[in-house]
Amino acid sequence: SAACVGAMPPLGHLWRLPLLLAALTSSQDPGDPGDVGADFVEQDVLTLEQLRAMHRQMDENGDGKVSIEEIMSFAGAIRRQVAGKDVDTFIDELDSDKDGHLSLEEFMADVDHWGDDEDPREKEVRLQVERGKFSAADMDGDGKLSLQELPGLFYPETHEGVLGIVTQRSLERKDADGDGKLAPKEFWEGDAFESQDLSIAEEEQADFRKLDKNADGFLSHEELRQWESGKFHVEEAMKRLFEVADKDSDLHITAEELDTARDDIAGTDAQYHFLE
């Protein structure tokens, strides 16, 4: 289920800009994410026209070049729009009394069936987390979620309060020594089966160092939050895009630079995010 915490990667897959090209190549005005659900077609290589459309959409201030901040802002807008479009599906499936809202009772009735052969203690913790997420998403405190409140419950990266709860649960689940922070081994092996003893690859060590902003050798709640939200994954991919496309190293990419780098972008994580 989309709301279930603890999947790996926890939320990273939600920030991979699903259906982005449909938004970028729509007929909407520049800066408007458009209808991301329409006319999406999977493909392997971005066309010049799609790159140009993408650039126009991301260029928020209309200066003819995009910064990484503009790219991340547009990614967030797309994510929120996708989340908003999914609420009708959740309501149809879970709103048993058909009042157009999701009550805590309706939500928990669904949550109760998520875990098969689950340890009773682990189940109670999971149910408590899901109740907390519901409460955080319930902005007006009326005990039910409206269509406007629902996205925060099922897409925690769009709601700061819900994301905080998901991050805290992930930290507690991985924190083997209970010190409130994660060492590299805890972070990477926290979701492994007990019988597994995973080695930490150099790339994983490098990712940990990037997340560890204060360089103390551990991940705090706030540092882990970047991973859980998925922003880390997208931002790293976009940094690599800049390495490929930003030929004059001015920390901005023009449409012409994007055109020139089209073949180099193919096969990179940036291309993956754009196409997915």
Side-chain angles (χ1 to χ4, degrees):
S1 175
C4 184
V5 299
M8 282 299 291
L11 290 173
H13 67 290
L14 296 179
W15 259 90
R16 290 176 181 167
L17 309 189
L19 309 185
L20 178 57
L21 278 180
L24 296 172
T25 58
S26 72
S27 59
Q28 302 294 322
D29 293 333
D32 180 357
D35 182 358
V36 298
D39 302 326
F40 175 66
V41 179
E42 291 187 5
Q43 60 190 91
D44 295 326
V45 180
L46 293 166
T47 67
L48 290 175
E49 292 76 14
Q50 287 170 331
L51 284 174
R52 290 281 179 167
M54 180 190 307
H55 194 277
R56 288 194 300 272
Q57 294 278 14
M58 294 188 293
D59 183 13
E60 292 181 356
N61 61 10
D63 65 354
K65 53 188 178 181
V66 297
S67 65
I68 195 166
E69 291 79 14
E70 287 177 312
I71 293 176
M72 295 301 293
S73 174
F74 185 76
I78 292 297
R79 183 63 260 160
R80 289 188 294 274
Q81 187 183 52
V82 170
K85 289 177 70 68
D86 283 346
V87 297
D88 289 338
T89 300
F90 296 134
I91 283 291
D92 289 343
E93 292 181 356
L94 303 179
D95 179 22
S96 58
D97 63 8
K98 304 303 178 184
D99 67 347
H101 293 77
L102 180 66
S103 69
L104 177 60
E105 292 73 20
E106 289 169 333
F107 176 59
M108 295 308 296
D110 181 64
V111 169
D112 189 59
H113 298 98
W114 288 354
D116 295 328
D117 300 323
E118 189 174 16
D119 180 87
R121 289 171 296 182
E122 293 180 357
K123 180 175 182 178
E124 183 52 41
V125 171
R126 178 174 61 80
L127 294 179
Q128 183 178 353
V129 169
E130 297 305 326
R131 291 189 194 98
K133 289 167 57 182
F134 186 98
S135 178
D138 183 14
M139 300 296 289
D140 59 13
D142 65 354
K144 55 186 178 182
L145 301 186
S146 65
L147 293 179
Q148 291 71 40
E149 293 170 322
L150 266 175
L153 176 62
F154 291 100
Y155 294 89
E157 77 279 12
T158 68
H159 190 289
E160 290 299 312
V162 179
L163 176 60
I165 292 171
V166 171
T167 302
Q168 183 62 29
R169 175 55 185 150
S170 179
L171 191 153
E172 292 172 353
R173 191 181 65 250
K174 295 169 180 283
D175 184 15
D177 60 11
D179 63 356
K181 55 188 178 182
L182 300 182
K185 184 179 180 66
E186 290 175 317
F187 176 64
W188 288 114
E189 296 190 7
D191 291 278
F193 293 106
E194 292 183 2
S195 60
Q196 291 180 312
D197 185 15
L198 303 179
S199 60
I200 303 176
E202 176 55 39
E203 183 178 357
E204 293 173 333
Q205 295 177 27
D207 283 346
F208 187 94
R209 290 192 294 269
K210 292 172 185 175
L211 287 165
D212 181 17
K213 296 298 186 182
N214 64 1
D216 66 350
F218 298 91
L219 296 187
S220 65
H221 178 280
E222 196 59 33
E223 289 167 334
L224 181 62
R225 190 184 188 95
Q226 291 300 107
W227 180 269
E228 292 294 323
S229 71
K231 291 182 181 179
F232 174 82
H233 309 80
V234 177
E235 189 165 352
E236 286 299 303
M238 294 308 121
K239 286 178 180 177
R240 288 190 282 274
L241 170 66
F242 271 70
E243 292 174 0
V244 170
D246 182 20
K247 298 301 184 183
D248 59 7
S249 302
D250 67 345
L251 302 181
H252 290 79
I253 297 177
T254 65
E256 290 73 21
E257 286 177 322
L258 206 55
D259 290 350
T260 301
R262 185 169 73 100
D263 290 340
D264 294 329
I265 293 171
T268 66
D269 287 344
Q271 168 95 347
Y272 172 76
H273 284 281
F274 288 143
L275 286 176
E276 186 178 9

